Amino acid sequence: MHLICFGINHTTAPIALREQFSFDDKALPAALTSLHQQADINEVVIISTCNRTELYCHVDEDYDNGISTWLQQYRSGLYEAVKDSHYQYHDTDAVQHLYRVASGLDSMVLGEPQILGQLKTAYTQSLNAQTLGKSLGRLFQHAFTVAKQVRTDTAIGSSPVSVAFAAVSLSKQIFSNLKQATALLIGAGETIELVARHLQDNGIKRMIIANRSVERAHNLAADVNGYAISLGEMPAHLAEADIVISSTASQLPILGKGMVESALKQRKRRPIFMVDIAVPRDIEPEVGQLEDIYLYCVDDLHDIIEENLQSRRDAARQAEEIIDSQVSHFAGWMRSQDAVPVIRAIRDEAQQHSASVLDKALKQVQQGVPAEQAMAELARTLTNKLLHEPSRQLRLSAFQNDDENLLIMAARQLFNIKD
């Protein structure tokens, strides 16, 4: 099969090393071309993300460590740096690894879907750099199909495991109908953005985004149809909130017990559900002692996340079965490619014989030989030419072998000859 995967990822190398062995969009075309120019490497795809860099190559049968040689030449000292942290898979092991990567089974977050888009980008970049051929092209296309099947046939992606999703899940348990609820989100970073999008997907009635930088709050609010305020304006809006979810980088609490008590009075004791995702905490722990306040911190979300992770682990076992089956399917296709040159040679020879006897038959007809006689001669001559060498080899094999004759058995299978 002659496939190789050489790489490092988040489980084998620290971020400092992964940064060295990465290729951004500007560097990638040159890297693809350079590796492709190695004498024993025919096709190349390079995947480079924050969590992994992997080189997929289709190589010659006499491949002799061309990837290591290239690394030593392309980036001085890089091979020495990664030689104790890298992994290398060959043939069906390389196929299986790619399918696991595409399906999210090798990701930092089990089952995450982003890696599939990154693989498709890597495929396109290799296509543009003209380093993609029939073997890797078919392999990656099949990997995309396998990943789609895994997501369709298992629950690998149906149980989100982010802190943001867990916070919204808790909100739905407290407020069965989010369409009547108002949420105050404190912060405007990635986690709060995910929270906002989950709330929006669940039909939240209204969102208020509070952030130290009002401009960032406005940008997020515009995306999720929310309303932006500064942190200083929170006391005036806290009473409007049924749900408060906070995730900032503040070193000191942002919501104190006094501010929350004032909001509760304005709400006439209507409860507020609060989730503090921040570390250090944004909401004073004493707030949780107030009646009508349901306060959860990031540790409280662990059970929800662990439950969903277990669901993904169960789905991952199903996914592995799908992948094993599909690896066998691709291996069969690769083996079939070994027969292509033989099939082509047989067809070429048959076409030469056909052209030769047809030319002879046409000349006979032109010379006055009856067409029926010329056609019969054509059929007889072509049959003899096509079967002469196979017949000779079978007789020779039978003469030389006393035991069960594999060539004769193969001929029976090849021509579907029944006993």
Side-chain angles (χ1 to χ4, degrees):
M1 189 181 290
H2 316 313
L3 295 175
I4 290 178
C5 168
F6 179 106
I8 61 174
N9 65 17
H10 59 283
T11 65
T12 68
I15 189 169
L17 184 53
R18 299 202 305 273
E19 286 173 341
Q20 291 182 55
F21 191 30
S22 66
F23 301 89
D24 60 24
D25 289 344
K26 292 183 179 179
L28 191 60
L32 285 165
T33 300
S34 177
L35 180 55
H36 188 236
Q37 288 172 346
Q38 290 291 309
D40 48 4
I41 295 178
N42 304 316
E43 302 176 42
V44 180
V45 177
I46 297 178
I47 300 166
S48 189
T49 73
C50 58
N51 286 331
R52 75 181 63 245
T53 294
E54 293 180 345
L55 315 176
Y56 288 86
C57 299
H58 180 258
V59 301
D60 288 336
E61 190 171 353
D62 57 352
Y63 168 80
D64 185 23
N65 219 21
I67 294 176
S68 302
T69 302
W70 175 76
L71 280 174
Q72 291 166 344
Q73 296 171 349
Y74 191 72
R75 288 188 180 173
S76 178
L78 182 56
Y79 179 71
E80 289 299 317
V82 303
K83 72 177 183 179
D84 294 328
S85 301
H86 82 278
Y87 43 84
Q88 187 161 302
Y89 298 108
H90 295 261
D91 299 330
T92 54
D93 289 336
V95 175
Q96 183 180 50
H97 179 72
L98 177 62
Y99 291 176
R100 295 187 79 253
V101 170
S103 301
L105 302 188
D106 196 60
S107 297
M108 185 178 291
V109 177
L110 180 64
E112 60 89 9
Q114 287 81 10
I115 185 63
L116 183 57
Q118 292 166 331
L119 290 188
K120 290 181 178 179
T121 297
Y123 172 88
T124 300
Q125 289 166 326
S126 298
L127 194 62
N128 292 339
Q130 298 182 335
T131 65
L132 193 68
K134 184 177 183 179
S135 296
L136 287 186
R138 178 68 175 255
L139 173 62
F140 272 76
Q141 288 290 344
H142 198 223
F144 304 152
T145 301
V146 171
K148 183 178 180 181
Q149 183 181 353
V150 165
R151 295 208 163 269
T152 301
D153 295 353
T154 75
I156 193 74
S158 63
S159 303
V161 292
S162 68
V163 170
F165 178 83
V168 175
S169 294
L170 270 177
S171 302
K172 290 168 65 179
Q173 292 177 28
I174 303 295
F175 299 93
S176 58
N177 186 6
L178 293 182
K179 293 180 180 179
Q180 301 301 320
T182 294
L184 169 63
L185 308 184
I186 307 173
E190 182 178 346
T191 300
I192 287 295
E193 181 178 348
L194 285 172
V195 168
R197 297 196 186 285
H198 282 309
L199 286 171
Q200 187 179 39
D201 290 343
N202 282 277
I204 191 78
K205 178 183 178 182
R206 183 166 175 253
M207 274 188 279
I208 304 169
I209 316 291
N211 192 55
R212 197 175 306 279
S213 165
V214 181
E215 182 180 357
R216 289 195 65 181
H218 273 299
N219 291 338
L220 176 55
D223 286 342
V224 296
N225 197 28
Y227 174 70
I229 63 172
S230 68
L231 293 182
E233 296 175 273
M234 279 199 309
H237 292 274
L238 183 57
E240 303 171 32
D242 304 298
I243 299 166
V244 176
I245 301 177
S246 185
S247 177
T248 76
S250 175
Q251 296 301 302
L252 297 172
I254 291 173
L255 275 184
K257 186 177 180 182
M259 188 192 305
V260 176
E261 284 179 319
S262 297
L264 284 174
K265 289 178 182 178
Q266 294 178 56
R267 289 176 61 83
K268 299 184 179 358
R269 314 309 301 182
R270 283 184 294 119
I272 304 177
F273 169 69
M274 296 185 171
V275 183
D276 188 353
I277 301 173
V279 179
R281 284 178 281 187
D282 285 336
I283 303 174
E284 287 183 348
E286 291 78 12
V287 169
Q289 300 170 4
L290 296 172
E291 288 187 28
D292 304 312
I293 292 293
Y294 300 90
L295 175 61
Y296 292 78
C297 69
V298 68
D299 288 348
D300 298 321
L301 304 180
H302 174 78
D303 289 343
I304 293 176
I305 292 173
E306 184 56 36
E307 181 181 343
N308 287 344
L309 274 173
Q310 186 55 49
S311 173
R312 288 197 176 196
R313 292 187 194 108
D314 293 341
R317 285 191 284 272
Q318 294 177 271
E320 296 284 8
E321 294 176 5
I322 293 172
I323 287 171
D324 287 345
S325 171
Q326 293 298 333
V327 168
S328 298
H329 178 80
F330 184 79
W333 178 82
M334 286 294 289
R335 287 193 299 271
S336 74
Q337 300 309 294
D338 294 337
V340 170
V342 177
I343 293 171
R344 186 179 294 118
I346 291 172
R347 285 186 172 276
D348 287 346
E349 184 174 359
Q351 286 173 352
Q352 290 175 11
H353 288 322
S354 177
S356 173
V357 297
L358 177 61
D359 183 62
K360 182 178 179 181
L362 290 173
K363 287 180 179 178
Q364 288 178 333
V365 172
Q366 290 172 357
Q367 292 169 0
V369 175
E372 184 176 340
Q373 180 182 338
M375 289 176 62
E377 176 67 14
L378 180 152
R380 185 189 66 79
T381 303
L382 184 58
T383 299
N384 289 340
K385 283 182 176 290
L386 291 177
L387 296 182
H388 171 71
E389 188 60 25
S391 300
R392 190 181 73 82
Q393 292 293 341
L394 284 171
R395 284 193 295 270
L396 181 62
S397 177
F399 180 80
Q400 293 175 342
N401 292 281
D402 293 331
D403 299 329
E404 187 176 26
N405 195 303
L406 296 179
L407 185 60
I408 291 177
M409 292 174 62
R412 285 183 175 277
Q413 183 178 1
L414 185 63
F415 291 101
N416 196 24
I417 299 173
K418 307 300 183 183
D419 290 337

